[in-house]
Amino acid sequence: DAGVIQSPRHEVTEMGQEVTLRCKPISGHDYLFWYRQTMMRGLELLIYFNNNVPIDDSGMPEDRFSAKMPNASFSTLKIQPSEPRDSAVYFCASSFSLAGASYEQYFGPGTRLTVT
Amino acid sequence: GQQVMQIPQYQHVQEGEDFTTYCNSSTTLSNIQWYKQRPGGHPVFLIQLVKSGEVKKQKRLTFQFGEAKKNSSLHITATQTTDVGTYFCAGPTSGTYKYIFGTGTRLKVLA
């Protein structure tokens, strides 16, 4: 398996523009997570899905952020409009569960977002 | 809300010295995971501990889960330059798959 795939790897955009980050989880994994990493706030969970259904979006900072998972092999994180404080590395991760037990998360390479 | 703190925040060691990072949760954890992130890279899973007092070893790395399941430690014996990176612990919010990551310990190994 190719692992978790994220695109783009780097994104530079101007304040006010819409940004869409994409993620393809590992086939067979039923959990998908979106994280944001900054020096100041560390690694924060934004939202996670189970079987394509959003379970907890309490980490989404504002209404400007939205995430979808239309099918088991694709998810998007959208920021509209973007602001300079959204600059960070955004990671997507996936994992599987078995009999109620959780297992390791496999992280994608991340998308480095810069909003000017 | 649940908090997971790690100490120290940074650690510089000479190659060959030992290194330990400590992880403390504000709540009891059902399990704890450890990840390593190389500079410019992404977090990579190292291990998961589930039982109270559990100790697991991976070559030079020793992981321990506290008796009260609220703290954990990672000890590296005889560090090497390949150990450079940030080490994170992560614990799930009770009854969920929502993992809270610790603040991380950045390790630098001087050759």
Side-chain angles (χ1 to χ4, degrees):
Chain A
D1 201 321
V4 176
I5 299 172
Q6 289 187 250
S7 66
R9 294 292 307 275
H10 301 273
E11 177 79 38
V12 179
T13 191
E14 292 183 346
M15 182 174 64
Q17 295 298 307
E18 178 180 295
V19 175
T20 299
L21 311 181
R22 297 172 176 80
C23 174
K24 176 179 169 54
I26 292 174
S27 177
H29 283 190
D30 54 350
Y31 281 87
L32 183 140
F33 306 83
W34 282 100
Y35 291 90
R36 177 173 68 176
Q37 186 174 41
T38 61
M39 288 295 294
M40 290 297 295
R41 300 178 66 90
L43 196 58
E44 303 173 276
L45 176 66
L46 300 177
I47 185 172
Y48 78 95
F49 296 82
N50 176 222
N51 291 323
N52 314 337
V53 177
I55 302 301
D56 188 329
D57 65 354
S58 60
M60 297 286 262
E62 299 171 31
D63 290 346
R64 298 185 296 107
F65 286 69
S66 63
K68 294 182 180 180
M69 192 165 185
N71 57 63
S73 59
F74 183 65
S75 178
T76 60
L77 177 67
K78 186 177 294 187
I79 308 173
Q80 166 62 18
S82 58
E83 296 182 3
R85 59 190 167 128
D86 301 331
S87 298
V89 179
Y90 291 81
F91 289 105
C92 175
S94 70
S95 71
F96 71 95
S97 63
L98 183 65
S102 57
Y103 293 85
E104 64 264 36
Q105 295 180 42
Y106 292 80
F107 282 75
T111 295
R112 183 173 294 276
L113 174 65
T114 302
V115 184
T116 61
Chain B
Q2 179 184 355
Q3 291 186 322
V4 181
M5 304 297 293
Q6 285 183 251
I7 55 170
Q9 188 175 2
Y10 301 97
Q11 183 84 60
H12 294 181
V13 300
Q14 286 292 136
E15 189 173 22
E17 292 183 339
D18 292 357
F19 159 77
T20 303
T21 173
Y22 299 91
C23 173
N24 292 286
S25 170
S26 58
T27 60
T28 301
L29 302 171
S30 58
N31 65 78
I32 194 158
Q33 298 179 347
W34 284 91
Y35 293 79
K36 175 184 178 182
Q37 184 177 21
R38 294 181 184 275
H42 57 277
V44 174
F45 175 82
L46 294 176
I47 207 160
Q48 177 170 288
L49 304 171
V50 179
K51 299 177 182 178
S52 169
E54 187 171 14
V55 177
K56 286 189 175 181
K57 292 188 176 183
Q58 289 180 350
K59 298 182 180 178
R60 296 178 295 103
L61 277 61
T62 301
F63 304 84
Q64 188 165 10
F65 201 6
E67 293 290 342
K69 301 183 77 173
K70 294 183 71 175
N71 56 75
S72 181
S73 65
L74 158 60
H75 179 81
I76 302 178
T77 303
T79 55
Q80 300 175 358
T81 55
T82 54
D83 295 325
V84 165
T86 301
Y87 293 84
F88 293 96
C89 61
T93 304
S94 179
T96 77
Y97 289 92
K98 178 180 179 178
Y99 276 78
I100 305 300
F101 276 74
T103 47
T105 296
R106 183 177 295 180
L107 172 65
K108 187 170 185 176
V109 179
L110 307 172

